[in-house]
Amino acid sequence: MLNSVMIFNFKVILIGLLILIGCLSGETALNDSIDYKADYVSFDRRDGNNVLILKGNSWLKYQSVTLTAHEINYNTETGKIYATFIEDTIYTAGVVDSVKIVGLPTLVEGNETVYGKTMEYDVNTKRGKVFQTSSTMKAQKAEDNLYVKTETIYRMEDNTICGLNGSASGCDHEEPHYSFKSDSMFVDSDNWVYVKPVYFYIGKIPLGYAPYAFYKRTSGRSSGIILPSYNYTSRKGNGIKELGFFYDISDYVDYTAYINYYDFAGFFFKQNLRIRKRYEITGNLKTEYLNDYKQNSLRLIGDYNHIITPTTKLDLKFDYVTRKKLIDNSEDYETDKLKKYLYSGGEFSKRWIINGDVFSASSTYKQFLDTARTEFLFPSLRYSYSSRSLKDYTGLDNHFTKNFKISGNAKFSKSGIILDDKNEFSDNNAANFSFSESYKISDLTFSGSHEFLGKHNETRNNILFNDNINQYTYKSKDSTDYDYGFKHKFSISYKHSVFKYLKLEERYSLQYDNAFRYQTQNLDLKDDWASRYTYDLNLKANTAVYGIFQPEYGFLYKVRHSILPTVNFNYNPDFTRSSYDYFYTTRDSLGRKILIDKFKRSIVGPTTGAEALKMSFDLSNLVDFKLFDNLEKNTSFEHQFFNHKMSFVYNFLEDTLKFSNLKSNSKITLYRGKIVYYNFSSGKLEKLNNFDLDITGFHNQEFSFYNSDKSWIGIENYFLRSIKENYGYEISVPLRFSTNINEKMFSEDEKGNSNLIDKKKSVFTDIPMEFSSNLRFSQSFGDNGYSRTFNLDMSASVDVTENWKLSYRGSFNFNEPGITTSSSISVHRDIHCFEGDFSWDLDNQGFSIIIKAKSSLFRDLKWEEDSRKYGSY
């Protein structure tokens, strides 16, 4: 796959080639101090000028630039610098054996290093040139280093730069495995770079070509053409993918556009306008267009998030399509096909710091993909009035004004549903206004809430569209519906303690509702006022009892037992009685009595049903251990050993069977942590660092207070009747370790048996190996039958050689022997500047293979094939 990242970000070549020129450039001659040293230092007069001559291990530093060479000449009057190397001839038996280059001119600044056989620069005229240059641009990772070479590069007086026969690669070989080459490069004074032509090589074989490339040289992104790649899928056929252009508009905005073409799917055009401003704005606007030889489709996708101020935010998100055929051919088909609908929406929110009030406006739009249904909400407005005391309004500072508080909400929403297949449109409007007040006197609290509800619904059928005037009219209006009502609630609560430890809360609530519309006995809706009074009483008592024991026996340091009982009492009357006039009594076709709630379809909601007088009881028992984790007993840890909860409900109004089933749930954690053993040789308690152990058990049971004939068992029998039981345990053993297979493992034993490695023939290199697994076993018994799980997840990897790595991943279900949940073998090969991965899926009988460049700069330089899914090249 060939991409613009490799070719049209060609500026990385020039950075290495031109760093010498950029580092030594200046408006006047060198005025800062220069540090230098060499084996031989002298001054000479040449053409009436003083020249500093450095020879032999010459070193010169100016500002952040360090230059080394065999010889460096610096004309202190003209500002000319010249650096070169020397050839060292090596003789063997009086015959020339080889010629070695010594003191190659090298310039270092930061992470960049430039080499050249000769370097020349004139500080005054700003002209310079470098011959046979090579540059290394170092990155945080060695595989991301960039290696650049050129034959000659020139810097002119007008700041233009010319280069001849340049190349760039992520491979550091003298003859790189892959590279990008160009005959000539030109950089003008406005930092526009022109390169022509551009060749892509694998070794010495040209595989890619572009007649020219140009871009604006910047320190970040660069505009340029995006080269396409070949692609094949079974749904779309053969195609050309992502032929386009990237335009860097500004530091915060960029634009990308590209075209895809497939045999079966047609033309696909996509563009994306992106905006990024840290801590303030992020946004994307994508447009997708499809021509599938029959019809055109358009899709808009985007999001926009703007922090206008620390208390004011705007969030937008939209996904809209004119024709759902585009979804079937989208580039994100695998993700889109899982969606039930396309969602668009947005919200604007404002919060006032001084008073805490919040205003928000939001909207949503949903296009369902499997039906012709569309839902929208626009607008939805809400204002929340934060709690304030009367002191804030009156300025009076007394007990009443400080403890009397008011808060409120106001909401309005407009929503609708469109059914395209039925030509039906429904419009729903809803409004809600509420406020509440509270007054607290010591442990006594008086509170109230008041709410107005209103809605207006309208349904229209047979919508006719007139394309000529781009508007729609209604053939018929089906129905108009409106409703409103009021809800008031008052409560008194009293929270206090008895005997210091028992916490009590008593609460009485009264609710008064008014509905403009109610349901008649014939199930019709009648527009008339109807009122309803309801009330309830709730009592709650709870406490906590702790017991701490400190036996200090063995590794056991402390034991804490917590008992947490809770009792709830709740009462509400029977509002189905005729005296309340909230329910109608009628008979069905079989003569059975039926109750119809007058308020079921009203805006205030249905009425509470039959009378209830219940008491619920909950009791929790927790046992925590504090354990020493060594024999010295200088450190400890906490461990929750036992957790038990028991609960039941007593119904006072039942004639029989007043007690519900008693539920008991227990969990015991026998061990959780490292496997510990006693080392007799050292006399110390030690841990197996690679192993963990988790052992837990559970017991769940339900009891009845009654015999099977519904007779009371009686307290004297002590034991309740068990009606359901389930218990079991789970053991989990995670294992992780890494080691090296080394020469000692194969050396001679004490009996002198021959070793497996002949030291005279080879040197054994340590082989790193990693292994991890998790073995889980559980059993469950009880009334639901017996069940068991026995699973093993494991992974292992071995660095067979320096360049080969073998890996295995598997998940096994031992409940069904011979069945492997998943299993795969992978082979990784390091190919210097490339890397290859081969993976064989043993279950799906398929494979995947990918060969790619290791450098992140050329990450799209790859070849891949996957027999388990759509192939891509």
Side-chain angles (χ1 to χ4, degrees):
M1 184 180 293
L2 201 57
N3 195 286
S4 62
V5 175
M6 298 177 289
I7 293 181
F8 294 100
N9 275 349
F10 207 75
K11 63 183 179 182
V12 291
I13 302 175
L14 292 175
I15 295 175
L17 299 178
L18 308 181
I19 185 172
L20 172 65
I21 307 301
C23 293
L24 298 182
S25 62
E27 296 183 358
T28 61
L30 299 174
N31 293 320
D32 291 345
S33 62
I34 297 177
D35 296 327
Y36 60 87
K37 65 180 179 180
D39 295 339
Y40 174 79
V41 180
S42 66
F43 284 89
D44 192 9
R45 292 287 294 179
R46 297 179 184 176
D47 300 327
N49 297 317
N50 294 321
V51 178
L52 171 66
I53 301 174
L54 306 176
K55 285 186 178 182
N57 297 319
S58 301
W59 177 86
L60 182 147
K61 183 176 181 181
Y62 171 69
Q63 295 180 351
S64 61
V65 178
T66 301
L67 176 63
T68 60
H70 171 72
E71 181 177 347
I72 301 175
N73 295 341
Y74 168 50
N75 192 317
T76 59
E77 297 183 23
T78 63
K80 292 182 179 180
I81 297 176
Y82 175 83
T84 187
F85 66 98
I86 190 175
E87 293 183 350
D88 185 9
T89 304
I90 300 175
Y91 295 88
T92 303
V95 179
V96 176
D97 182 35
S98 61
V99 177
K100 181 181 179 181
I101 294 177
V102 178
L104 189 70
T106 304
L107 183 141
V108 179
E109 182 183 28
N111 291 327
E112 287 79 32
T113 303
V114 179
Y115 306 91
K117 287 195 173 181
T118 61
M119 297 182 181
E120 299 178 11
Y121 187 67
D122 190 323
V123 176
N124 294 323
T125 62
K126 303 178 185 178
R127 296 171 65 94
K129 58 183 177 181
V130 184
F131 297 98
Q132 299 186 17
T133 304
S134 62
S135 174
T136 300
M137 299 180 60
K138 294 183 179 180
Q140 291 183 350
K141 297 181 179 180
E143 57 266 26
D144 290 337
N145 290 347
L146 181 68
Y147 305 95
V148 183
K149 297 179 180 179
T150 187
E151 183 178 292
T152 310
I153 190 166
Y154 301 89
R155 187 182 193 279
M156 313 306 291
E157 294 182 10
D158 58 354
N159 290 328
T160 59
I161 299 172
C162 301
L164 299 177
N165 299 325
S167 68
S169 176
C171 179
D172 61 352
H173 276 192
E174 184 67 25
E175 294 292 337
H177 293 124
Y178 70 91
S179 61
F180 295 90
K181 298 183 179 181
S182 176
D183 293 342
S184 63
M185 295 170 286
F186 177 78
V187 184
D188 66 14
S189 57
D190 294 326
N191 273 336
W192 275 98
V193 180
Y194 303 89
V195 184
K196 72 171 190 176
V198 180
Y199 306 93
F200 170 59
Y201 280 79
I202 294 291
K204 296 183 178 182
I205 303 174
L207 294 180
Y209 168 79
Y212 60 88
F214 62 92
Y215 61 91
K216 186 72 173 290
R217 186 163 67 98
T218 63
S219 59
R221 304 164 301 177
S222 294
S223 304
I225 298 174
I226 302 173
L227 291 183
S229 61
Y230 169 74
N231 186 265
Y232 170 78
T233 71
S234 59
R235 291 188 301 108
K236 302 178 184 179
N238 296 289
I240 300 297
K241 183 179 180 182
E242 296 186 356
L243 171 62
F245 181 77
F246 174 79
Y247 180 39
D248 182 19
I249 300 175
S250 71
D251 292 339
Y252 308 113
V253 184
D254 58 48
Y255 172 80
T256 307
Y258 61 81
I259 296 175
N260 296 345
Y261 170 75
Y262 295 96
D263 292 343
F264 306 152
F267 292 93
F268 182 86
F269 173 76
K270 186 174 181 178
Q271 58 182 356
N272 181 24
L273 181 66
R274 184 174 63 167
I275 179 172
R276 293 285 188 276
K277 193 171 184 180
R278 183 176 295 183
Y279 310 124
E280 188 173 339
I281 299 175
T282 60
N284 294 277
L285 173 59
K286 299 179 182 179
T287 304
E288 297 180 0
Y289 172 80
L290 172 67
N291 185 325
D292 60 358
Y293 307 117
K294 297 179 181 179
Q295 290 180 297
N296 301 325
S297 303
L298 181 66
R299 183 179 182 183
L300 298 176
I301 308 174
D303 59 82
Y304 182 80
N305 308 104
H306 190 178
I307 302 177
I308 303 172
T309 69
T311 59
T312 308
K313 299 179 181 180
L314 175 64
D315 296 318
L316 300 175
K317 183 177 182 180
F318 50 90
D319 191 349
Y320 173 81
V321 65
T322 58
R323 192 167 59 93
K324 296 175 183 177
K325 180 70 175 178
L326 182 58
I327 302 297
D328 299 331
N329 293 282
S330 71
E331 296 300 305
D332 300 321
Y333 171 75
E334 296 295 329
T335 302
D336 287 338
K337 72 178 182 179
L338 301 177
K339 294 180 179 178
K340 185 179 180 180
Y341 53 81
L342 299 183
Y343 172 84
S344 300
E347 181 180 21
F348 171 82
S349 62
K350 168 65 179 177
R351 179 175 58 88
W352 284 267
I353 297 178
I354 297 177
N355 52 35
D357 291 359
V358 177
F359 169 77
S360 65
S362 61
S363 66
T364 62
Y365 187 87
K366 297 180 181 179
Q367 281 184 290
F368 288 81
L369 300 177
D370 54 348
T371 64
R373 182 185 181 92
T374 302
E375 297 179 359
F376 69 88
L377 172 64
F378 179 79
S380 176
L381 306 175
R382 179 172 182 172
Y383 188 91
S384 297
Y385 186 78
S386 64
S387 179
R388 294 176 174 83
S389 65
L390 284 182
K391 177 185 175 182
D392 298 328
Y393 296 100
T394 63
L396 300 176
D397 188 3
N398 55 55
H399 184 274
F400 178 78
T401 57
K402 286 191 297 184
N403 290 278
F404 190 92
K405 298 183 178 181
I406 301 175
S407 61
N409 276 287
K411 296 185 291 185
F412 172 79
S413 64
K414 183 181 183 67
S415 60
I417 300 175
I418 301 173
L419 303 176
D420 294 334
D421 54 345
K422 297 182 180 179
N423 284 333
E424 183 176 305
F425 171 76
S426 63
D427 183 23
N428 308 308
N429 301 287
N432 180 296
F433 303 95
S434 64
F435 72 93
S436 59
E437 71 279 348
S438 66
Y439 179 64
K440 187 174 182 180
I441 304 176
S442 185
D443 295 328
L444 189 64
T445 302
F446 300 88
S447 60
S449 63
H450 315 276
E451 185 176 8
F452 167 79
L453 306 96
K455 65 179 182 179
H456 175 270
N457 303 329
E458 190 170 345
T459 302
R460 307 182 182 98
N461 287 331
N462 300 326
I463 300 177
L464 299 180
F465 289 89
N466 189 329
D467 292 333
N468 295 328
I469 59 176
N470 195 27
Q471 65 181 11
Y472 56 86
T473 56
Y474 308 106
K475 181 178 179 181
S476 64
K477 181 178 288 188
D478 232 17
S479 63
T480 299
D481 180 33
Y482 58 91
D483 196 5
Y484 50 90
F486 299 90
K487 299 177 70 173
H488 306 273
K489 186 175 183 179
F490 305 92
S491 64
I492 302 174
S493 64
Y494 181 47
K495 294 182 179 180
H496 57 105
S497 298
V498 177
F499 305 118
K500 190 177 179 179
Y501 301 107
L502 182 62
K503 298 179 180 180
L504 300 177
E505 179 182 358
E506 299 92 24
R507 180 176 56 82
Y508 173 76
S509 299
L510 171 66
Q511 186 163 326
Y512 171 62
D513 303 322
N514 294 89
F516 173 75
R517 173 179 295 159
Y518 62 89
Q519 185 174 235
T520 66
Q521 189 169 358
N522 297 324
L523 304 182
D524 298 327
L525 289 175
K526 183 178 180 180
D527 293 341
D528 196 3
W529 284 103
S531 300
R532 178 181 64 190
Y533 290 92
T534 59
Y535 58 92
D536 64 84
L537 177 65
N538 183 268
L539 306 176
K540 181 179 180 181
N542 65 83
T543 188
V545 179
Y546 300 96
I548 298 179
F549 310 93
Q550 193 167 335
E552 296 191 21
Y553 179 76
F555 295 102
L556 183 60
Y557 176 42
K558 286 184 180 180
V559 179
R560 182 179 65 180
H561 181 202
S562 306
I563 303 176
L564 308 173
T566 302
V567 178
N568 267 290
F569 178 86
N570 179 263
Y571 171 76
N572 61 270
D574 183 7
F575 295 110
T576 64
R577 290 185 296 180
S578 58
S579 58
Y580 288 102
D581 196 24
Y582 301 155
F583 285 83
Y584 305 108
T585 302
T586 184
R587 302 279 177 176
D588 62 8
S589 58
L590 299 178
R592 293 173 299 190
K593 182 179 178 181
I594 297 177
L595 294 175
I596 300 175
D597 183 5
K598 179 188 295 187
F599 296 89
K600 183 177 181 179
R601 297 165 61 187
S602 72
I603 197 170
V604 296
T607 309
T608 305
E611 182 180 15
L613 180 59
K614 298 180 180 180
M615 181 183 68
S616 63
F617 177 79
D618 295 277
L619 177 64
S620 295
N621 281 273
L622 303 176
V623 178
D624 298 304
F625 288 168
K626 197 164 188 178
L627 303 168
F628 293 113
D629 61 357
N630 55 52
L631 290 176
E632 289 74 16
K633 299 183 179 181
N634 50 18
T635 58
S636 60
F637 64 95
E638 292 186 359
H639 172 70
Q640 188 177 91
F641 175 73
F642 182 71
N643 187 344
H644 174 256
K645 183 176 182 180
M646 182 176 61
S647 63
F648 67 89
V649 177
Y650 182 81
N651 192 335
F652 293 91
L653 301 181
E654 291 286 349
D655 295 332
T656 60
L657 308 180
K658 294 179 179 291
F659 284 90
S660 69
N661 291 336
L662 186 148
K663 297 181 179 180
S664 173
N665 301 292
S666 302
K667 181 180 179 181
I668 183 171
T669 304
L670 295 175
Y671 190 84
R672 177 171 293 168
K674 299 290 183 182
I675 296 180
V676 181
Y677 70 99
Y678 182 77
N679 190 329
F680 289 95
S681 59
S682 64
K684 293 183 177 180
L685 195 67
E686 298 182 359
K687 298 179 181 179
L688 291 174
N689 293 324
N690 297 321
F691 286 89
D692 289 331
L693 180 62
D694 190 350
I695 305 176
T696 59
F698 65 90
H699 183 272
N700 302 321
Q701 194 168 7
E702 284 191 34
F703 300 90
S704 175
F705 291 91
Y706 306 95
N707 293 308
S708 56
D709 59 358
K710 299 184 180 180
S711 62
W712 175 252
I713 291 179
I715 300 178
E716 66 276 5
N717 294 322
Y718 296 106
F719 295 104
L720 302 180
R721 181 170 63 93
S722 176
I723 59 175
K724 186 185 296 184
E725 186 178 14
N726 180 256
Y727 58 92
Y729 65 92
E730 178 177 327
I731 301 175
S732 176
V733 185
L735 167 64
R736 294 176 297 274
F737 75 86
S738 60
T739 186
N740 288 333
I741 302 175
N742 52 50
E743 186 177 351
K744 294 181 180 180
M745 296 182 180
F746 304 97
S747 59
E748 294 183 354
D749 57 23
E750 295 179 357
K751 297 181 180 180
N753 295 327
S754 61
N755 55 6
L756 300 179
I757 297 177
D758 188 348
K759 297 182 180 180
K760 297 180 180 179
K761 294 182 178 180
S762 63
V763 177
F764 190 85
T765 303
D766 289 354
I767 300 176
M769 181 176 68
E770 295 182 358
F771 179 84
S772 66
S773 68
N774 188 10
L775 183 66
R776 298 187 304 274
F777 180 79
S778 68
Q779 285 185 305
S780 177
F781 309 87
D783 299 327
N784 295 327
Y786 169 75
S787 64
R788 182 184 74 171
T789 61
F790 192 11
N791 299 325
L792 173 64
D793 297 322
M794 62 178 296
S795 65
S797 64
V798 179
D799 293 346
V800 182
T801 68
E802 183 180 356
N803 297 322
W804 287 92
K805 183 176 182 179
L806 180 64
S807 303
Y808 173 79
R809 289 183 179 274
S811 177
F812 301 92
N813 181 1
F814 295 111
N815 287 339
E816 301 180 37
I819 294 182
T820 303
T821 305
S822 64
S823 183
S824 64
I825 298 175
S826 301
V827 179
H828 176 82
R829 174 69 164 98
D830 190 311
I831 322 172
H832 188 59
C833 55
F834 285 95
E835 58 185 356
D837 289 284
F838 174 83
S839 179
W840 177 259
D841 192 324
L842 302 179
D843 299 297
N844 297 326
Q845 298 296 315
F847 70 90
S848 67
I849 184 171
I850 179 172
I851 300 175
K852 61 182 180 180
K854 294 165 66 175
S855 173
S856 62
L857 292 172
F858 307 107
R859 59 184 178 274
D860 289 327
L861 178 59
K862 62 183 177 180
W863 175 83
E864 60 181 345
E865 176 65 32
D866 195 337
S867 65
R868 300 169 301 179
K869 58 181 182 180
Y870 308 125
S872 179
Y873 305 88

